[in-house]
Amino acid sequence: MIPKVFKEVIDLGDGREISIETGKLAKQAHGSVVVQSGKCMLLCTVVSNYKQADVDFLPLTVDYREKFAAAGRYPGGFFKREARPSDGEVLTMRLVDRVLRPLFPKDYHSETQVMIQLMSHDPEVMPDAMAGLAASAAIQLSDFPFECAISEARVGRVNGEFIINPTRAQLEESDIDMMIGASADSVMMVEGEMDEISEEEMTEAIKFAHEAIKVQCAAQVKLAEAFGKKETREYEPEREDADLAKKIHDMAYDKVYAVAKAASSKHERGAAFGEIKEEIKASFSEEEQEDFGGLISKYYSKAEKAAVRDLTLNEGLRLDGRKTDEIRPIWCEVDYLPSTHGSSIFTRGETQALATVTLGTSREANQIDMPSYEGEERFYLHYNFPPFSTGEARPIRGTSRREVGHGNLAQRALKGMVPDDCPYTVRVVSEILESNGSSSMATVCAGTMAMMDAGVQLKKPVSGIAMGLISDADSGKYAVLSDILGDEDHLGDMDFKVTGTADGITACQMDIKVKGLSYEILVNALKQARDGRLHILGKITETIETPNADVKDHAPTMVSRRIPNEFIGALIGPGGKVIQEMQKETETTIVINEDPVTEEGIVEILGVGSKGIDAVMAKIDALLFKPEVGSVYEVKVIKMLDFGAVVEYTEAPGNEVLLHVSELAWERTENVTDVVNMGDVFDVKYFGIDKRTRKEKVSRKAILPKPEGYVERPPRDDKRSGGRDNNRGRDNRGRDNRRDDRKPRNDKKED
């Protein structure tokens, strides 16, 4: 039976469309859609168990995978099968998760899985921009308790014009690359990178994307209605007790308020809050504690959150005693690690990052191999968040999604300031040694200083700051918090991270938890962030004002050289013998790439100190050496022969030519050793290619004065007897003058 298909089409306004289709694929999932733009097709399925899990959070898994078959390619590796997700896939999962998660009820604890798969790839369409749309559309077709439709859109700007979901080619020319997630009413998530834009320009980009998202949300609602909107499933809600909530609030509020106002450290404050909580628990009998279960802890957390928020809104004070726009004390240091190519420490309050820089050749570039994109990164940043940074002991299970996300944000913040002509592959690693608020922004600051310390000629230094927002819709009060603490991260209505230079924003990440946040508040928050960012930038430049002029003595120097395509093979040698021996002798690393446009060879030479690099450059100069006809060159005898001497040009070692015995001197030379010997150095004149021998000709005698009375030998007469054309004195019969009456031997045989 042919399935009934339901479809909605979204017009992007420039001739492109996005279609949402359901009813054909994956019908046993609780909701499934195929989202298509051009030849790009995403299949999204959603499933949620009907039984609540025994946890106090939403066990939501968002999985995004790109199938290599979608692009007509094979996966790399031995098994030729898709394996663990790439960093690019992980980043897309995070973008979708951050928008979906807040829209499920807080007491919904069923295991829920959202799976998005790239089934067909179009080089002109970036699939991650449609992943949020696909996820929300599938949920709208399910019976999940979900607040409202959402979508995500990428916005770029080319020549001053905003573009929704630009192609990768357009993105190369764009000065903005932002992903916005929103419902029809509220912006919920922003993440992206920019080319030093202003706060107002960033806000305009968000507004532009939100208008497009409204259309996408309406299309999802229309599709769900046509398909047949399902009744929202019933689930067992969490137990509530209003009287208990009020009782605990009254017991805890004033005590928490007092501790919050005391401006204590993280651990002191945590211990004080813990004592209040234990005191409240102790006021209940064992039977009551068993009966109420986790309600006591739940209501205490609500009371604590309310008290801390009120302290900020009412008195403009924060947990550590700072004012809302005050930055924690900062100290910095560079060149801390003696053996790295560059290093720095950035400490802000109770957050500390140690950054290192390693310089390498193009061989060390980070290779990206995804079905939707193949390329390499010559600058990349890795972020590590060990458990001791928060005073915890837990096992390390590989790189977490959070580490991938935070590292990517810091990388996007810095990469625009690495000059295009930087000869190195640059790897920055940030080790978080302490964490109490915004270690990703500490990574940006530490990374800036470490690269400047390493001698990477950054265009401008970059700093970053994490901001928070606390608002009260009833009173209209709000407070923007600069440089938030870890505790302030979860109790606020918005947390956002902004990085930039003194001239504009380079990257941002926002999670907005309150509905209907006005753009006026958003602009004010961004401007306050700018003030904080500039303050931090001042601390950075006090420590290291400009990049070091040179790399460190123990760090490698990089020299690049272009050579004609025809010389690449000679430099590499048979089986790589020449280049391998050269690297071993000079203690350098040599990488040869081919320019895809000019087809020239690009030779990268990496070495510590100039001796080895100079030796490689000399070898290349020798390889490229072309003597000019009529010029005189100094040569050295490197081999003796009966009929001459092999000499090499002293300015191009390894470049050899035969000096024939007849060109040694004007006088007749019986033995080569009568004139020159091994190791002799003298001048010769270059005559180019000899027409008779078709080999290069050089002469020593040509630059010597002729002896007195010297008589030139007469030129050879080719017609004389014995000439080459007369078969050396034989009769004039050549092979073509054989007697015509000569019969083949087999003619003598009888038939």
Side-chain angles (χ1 to χ4, degrees):
M1 183 180 72
I2 300 175
K4 185 176 181 181
V5 176
F6 299 86
K7 187 175 183 179
E8 285 294 325
V9 176
I10 301 165
D11 186 359
L12 294 179
D14 57 0
R16 294 177 299 146
E17 295 179 339
I18 300 177
S19 67
I20 317 172
E21 178 184 288
T22 190
K24 184 179 290 186
L25 303 181
K27 291 187 286 184
Q28 291 194 45
H30 295 163
S32 70
V33 296
V34 172
V35 174
Q36 181 171 357
S37 181
K39 296 179 181 179
C40 177
M41 298 176 69
L42 293 175
L43 169 65
C44 178
T45 57
V46 295
V47 175
S48 185
N49 293 342
Y50 284 92
K51 184 178 179 181
Q52 291 270 68
D54 188 21
V55 293
D56 61 353
F57 61 91
L58 172 64
L60 170 66
T61 302
V62 176
D63 197 78
Y64 171 80
R65 299 299 178 96
E66 296 187 353
K67 306 297 184 180
F68 277 85
R73 295 178 52 213
Y74 285 90
F78 182 79
F79 293 104
K80 295 294 180 285
R81 181 172 185 152
E82 288 85 358
R84 62 176 297 276
S86 65
D87 284 359
E89 290 167 320
V90 167
L91 293 170
T92 302
M93 297 175 198
R94 282 175 52 85
L95 287 174
V96 177
D97 187 297
R98 285 162 50 199
V99 185
L100 295 183
R101 191 175 292 274
L103 297 180
F104 285 92
K106 294 188 181 301
D107 60 352
Y108 186 68
H109 301 153
S110 295
E111 185 85 29
T112 304
Q113 188 174 46
V114 177
M115 293 190 66
I116 310 162
Q117 303 177 68
L118 175 66
M119 308 304 290
S120 177
H121 174 54
D122 186 333
E124 297 299 315
V125 180
M126 298 182 69
D128 59 342
M130 302 190 299
L133 168 63
S136 177
I139 292 174
Q140 294 306 303
L141 301 174
S142 73
D143 61 351
F144 299 176
F146 192 75
E147 188 172 321
C148 61
I150 62 94
S151 190
E152 294 179 347
R154 173 178 273 110
V155 60
R157 186 175 65 175
V158 178
N159 298 325
E161 297 292 328
F162 289 120
I163 304 171
I164 290 295
N165 293 356
T167 65
R168 196 174 295 278
Q170 289 174 323
L171 209 55
E172 292 293 328
E173 302 176 11
S174 176
D175 62 351
I176 295 175
D177 177 8
M178 289 172 57
M179 193 78 81
I180 289 86
S183 66
D185 300 324
S186 302
V187 175
M188 305 167 66
M189 184 277 299
V190 178
E191 182 161 330
E193 61 187 85
M194 309 86 180
D195 186 11
E196 297 183 279
I197 68 172
S198 68
E199 288 73 16
E200 290 80 7
E201 288 174 307
M202 178 174 162
T203 304
E204 288 302 313
I206 295 172
K207 288 180 180 178
F208 182 79
H210 194 195
E211 292 304 312
I213 287 173
K214 290 177 182 178
V215 176
Q216 296 178 15
C217 291
Q220 295 175 53
V221 173
K222 191 174 179 182
L223 178 68
E225 290 174 349
F227 179 74
K229 182 66 176 176
K230 298 177 183 178
E231 291 292 328
T232 301
R233 69 172 62 175
E234 294 185 2
Y235 65 94
E236 185 178 349
E238 288 182 350
R239 180 184 174 188
E240 297 290 346
D241 190 321
D243 292 336
L244 179 64
K246 185 178 185 308
K247 179 180 178 180
I248 292 177
H249 181 275
D250 293 341
M251 294 172 67
Y253 184 88
D254 290 338
K255 294 178 180 179
V256 170
Y257 197 98
V259 171
K261 194 174 180 179
S264 52
S265 69
K266 175 182 177 181
H267 291 294
E268 290 174 348
R269 186 169 59 248
F273 285 157
E275 288 178 6
I276 297 172
K277 184 176 180 180
E278 290 303 317
E279 183 182 328
I280 291 173
K281 279 187 175 182
S283 67
F284 293 91
S285 66
E286 291 185 6
E287 292 79 8
E288 287 176 320
Q289 290 187 39
E290 186 175 343
D291 180 45
F292 291 134
L295 288 180
I296 297 174
S297 295
K298 175 182 174 181
Y299 292 143
Y300 168 77
S301 296
K302 285 187 174 181
E304 181 184 303
K305 182 176 180 179
V308 174
R309 287 170 61 92
D310 288 349
L311 173 67
T312 302
L313 289 174
N314 297 337
E315 303 187 43
L317 295 176
R318 299 162 66 180
L319 288 169
D320 56 358
R322 285 182 293 149
K323 296 177 182 178
T324 56
D325 61 350
E326 191 174 348
I327 311 298
R328 288 174 289 178
I330 295 171
W331 69 265
C332 311
E333 183 178 338
V334 296
D335 197 20
Y336 177 72
L337 300 173
S339 296
T340 61
H341 298 165
S343 65
S344 73
I345 303 171
F346 179 84
T347 307
R348 185 191 59 243
E350 296 172 302
T351 296
Q352 185 178 75
L354 171 63
T356 59
V357 170
T358 307
L359 306 175
T361 67
S362 59
R363 187 180 295 165
E364 281 71 52
N366 186 32
Q367 301 298 321
I368 301 173
D369 184 20
M370 297 174 63
S372 62
Y373 178 66
E374 293 178 88
E376 64 177 26
E377 294 173 330
R378 293 290 297 268
F379 166 72
Y380 51 99
L381 187 150
H382 292 150
Y383 165 100
N384 297 317
F385 191 83
F388 67 77
S389 64
T390 54
E392 298 175 274
R394 52 180 169 78
I396 298 175
R397 306 293 189 192
T399 306
S400 68
R401 291 187 179 188
R402 179 181 181 277
E403 288 173 309
V404 172
H406 279 39
N408 178 70
L409 175 61
Q411 178 176 322
R412 299 178 85 177
L414 293 169
K415 74 176 186 180
M417 293 301 111
V418 178
D420 295 335
D421 60 355
C422 177
Y424 298 98
T425 291
V426 181
R427 180 186 185 229
V428 178
V429 179
S430 173
E431 304 289 348
I432 303 304
L433 306 182
E434 294 182 55
S435 180
N436 185 15
S438 190
S439 54
S440 63
M441 296 297 95
T443 294
V444 172
C445 300
T448 292
M449 293 189 295
M451 283 197 285
M452 293 169 75
D453 178 54
V456 178
Q457 301 302 305
L458 289 184
K459 299 174 187 175
K460 301 171 188 175
V462 181
S463 66
I465 189 170
M467 307 289 292
L469 174 71
I470 296 176
S471 63
D472 184 0
D474 295 333
S475 65
K477 293 181 180 180
Y478 74 91
V480 178
L481 311 181
S482 298
D483 180 22
I484 59 173
L485 302 170
D487 291 338
E488 292 172 330
D489 193 356
H490 73 272
L491 61 83
D493 299 320
M494 174 173 71
D495 63 88
F496 61 106
K497 304 173 180 71
V498 188
T499 72
T501 67
D503 298 320
I505 299 171
T506 59
C508 74
Q509 183 183 91
M510 290 188 189
D511 288 299
I512 302 170
K513 308 166 191 176
V514 62
K515 293 181 182 179
L517 178 70
S518 72
Y519 285 103
E520 179 185 356
I521 293 177
L522 180 59
V523 171
N524 290 340
L526 288 171
K527 287 183 176 179
Q528 184 171 320
R530 182 177 186 275
D531 294 337
R533 198 177 75 237
L534 294 178
H535 169 79
I536 297 170
L537 196 58
K539 297 293 183 181
I540 290 174
T541 52
E542 284 177 13
T543 304
I544 180 167
E545 187 173 359
T546 58
N548 290 332
D550 298 304
V551 299
K552 299 181 185 298
D553 292 339
H554 62 273
T557 300
M558 169 79 83
V559 175
S560 295
R561 178 77 178 271
R562 286 178 174 265
I563 64 174
N565 181 277
E566 61 266 25
F567 290 100
I568 295 177
L571 184 58
I572 295 173
K577 181 180 180 181
V578 173
I579 194 170
Q580 289 171 10
E581 289 182 353
M582 201 186 313
Q583 290 182 107
K584 186 176 180 179
E585 291 171 1
T586 61
E587 296 182 345
T588 60
T589 299
I590 306 171
V591 178
I592 304 176
N593 297 309
E594 187 174 327
D595 189 311
V597 179
T598 65
E599 295 186 350
E600 290 179 298
I602 303 173
V603 185
E604 298 176 358
I605 310 160
L606 191 79
V608 178
S610 61
K611 184 178 179 181
I613 294 176
D614 290 345
V616 176
M617 293 294 285
K619 176 67 176 177
I620 295 175
D621 288 338
L623 181 69
L624 301 180
F625 177 75
K626 290 184 178 180
E628 296 181 4
V629 175
S631 296
V632 175
Y633 297 95
E634 185 180 75
V635 296
K636 179 180 179 181
V637 178
I638 61 171
K639 190 175 183 179
M640 301 292 290
L641 302 172
D642 292 340
F643 50 87
V646 177
V647 296
E648 71 173 5
Y649 298 95
T650 56
E651 64 180 274
N655 215 314
E656 305 169 359
V657 65
L658 173 66
L659 174 59
H660 194 267
V661 64
S662 63
E663 299 296 332
L664 285 173
W666 291 104
E667 298 87 353
R668 179 177 178 82
T669 305
E670 296 293 340
N671 298 306
V672 176
T673 53
D674 294 340
V675 180
V676 297
N677 289 287
M678 281 288 292
D680 286 355
V681 177
F682 48 85
D683 291 340
V684 296
K685 188 174 183 179
Y686 181 74
F687 286 93
I689 304 298
D690 189 293
K691 293 182 179 179
R692 186 171 61 85
T693 64
R694 299 185 183 277
K695 294 181 180 179
E696 289 184 299
K697 178 181 177 181
V698 293
S699 175
R700 177 177 176 271
K701 74 178 184 181
I703 58 176
L704 297 175
K706 291 182 181 180
E708 188 175 347
Y710 177 80
V711 179
E712 290 275 1
R713 295 173 65 184
R716 177 179 301 205
D717 183 5
D718 291 337
K719 295 181 180 180
R720 68 187 176 182
S721 176
R724 185 177 296 274
D725 292 338
N726 288 324
N727 276 327
R728 304 187 185 213
R730 296 181 184 176
D731 60 27
N732 288 332
R733 288 187 304 161
R735 294 189 63 85
D736 294 334
N737 295 327
R738 289 179 298 186
R739 291 188 343 214
D740 293 336
D741 59 346
R742 184 176 180 180
K743 296 181 180 180
R745 292 177 183 175
N746 58 1
D747 288 349
K748 297 179 181 180
K749 296 180 181 179
E750 295 182 1
D751 294 337

